[in-house]
Amino acid sequence: MNLGSSYYSSDDFLLKGYNYTPIGNYGIGFLSCFMLSEKVMVKTKHYSSNVNYEIELVKGDEYVCIKEQKESRPKSIGTEVILNYEEFMNVWNNSIEELTIFIKDTF
C-alpha cells in the first residue's frame, strides 16, 4: 500500500509542461511529521463530497486503518495534519518564544 501520491507524476502536472524537478515525492515532506510527533492524525474531505476520511499513523506501526464517515451537513473541507502537542512543543523546549523565533526566521 502506498500512502499518498505524487502530484509531480500526475497527468495534471505533466500536461502543464512545467520545467521543474522536485527534490521530494509528496511535496510537503509528510514523513518529517514523525520528527515532531510519534503519532500523526490526518483528516481530509474533498469539497464536493459528503465523506470525511481519517487516518491515524503511529511511527513504527506496520498497519493503518482509514475511517470513512458520511455526514449529512458538510462541516469543513480540506486536509488537517494533527501532531501530538506535547511532543511537538518538546522540540522547542516547551517554549512558545523559541517556536515563534523559528517560525519568523524560517518563514
Side-chain angles (χ1 to χ4, degrees), residues 39-88:
K39 189 186 303 184
V40 179
M41 173 76 69
V42 179
K43 296 179 180 182
T44 190
K45 180 179 173 296
H46 190 270
Y47 74 92
S48 66
S49 174
N50 68 340
V51 178
N52 291 314
Y53 295 97
E54 184 178 297
I55 183 169
E56 184 175 272
L57 304 158
V58 178
K59 186 176 182 177
D61 276 4
E62 186 174 352
Y63 299 101
V64 297
C65 181
I66 299 175
K67 297 177 187 175
E68 180 179 316
Q69 181 180 10
K70 291 186 179 180
E71 55 184 30
S72 56
R73 292 185 309 170
K75 294 178 185 173
S76 62
I77 59 172
T79 300
E80 291 180 84
V81 178
I82 303 164
L83 308 177
N84 178 286
Y85 178 80
E86 286 82 18
E87 292 174 6
F88 175 83

Side-chain angles (χ1 to χ4, degrees), residues 30-42:
F30 183 79
L31 291 179
S32 64
C33 292
F34 291 109
M35 294 173 66
L36 302 170
S37 178
E38 295 284 317
K39 189 186 303 184
V40 179
M41 173 76 69
V42 179

Side-chain angles (χ1 to χ4, degrees), residues 4-35:
S5 60
S6 174
Y7 172 69
Y8 303 119
S9 61
S10 70
D11 289 341
D12 184 42
F13 178 79
L14 297 173
L15 291 172
K16 290 180 180 176
Y18 294 132
N19 185 18
Y20 175 74
T21 304
I23 60 171
N25 288 325
Y26 303 109
I28 64 169
F30 183 79
L31 291 179
S32 64
C33 292
F34 291 109
M35 294 173 66

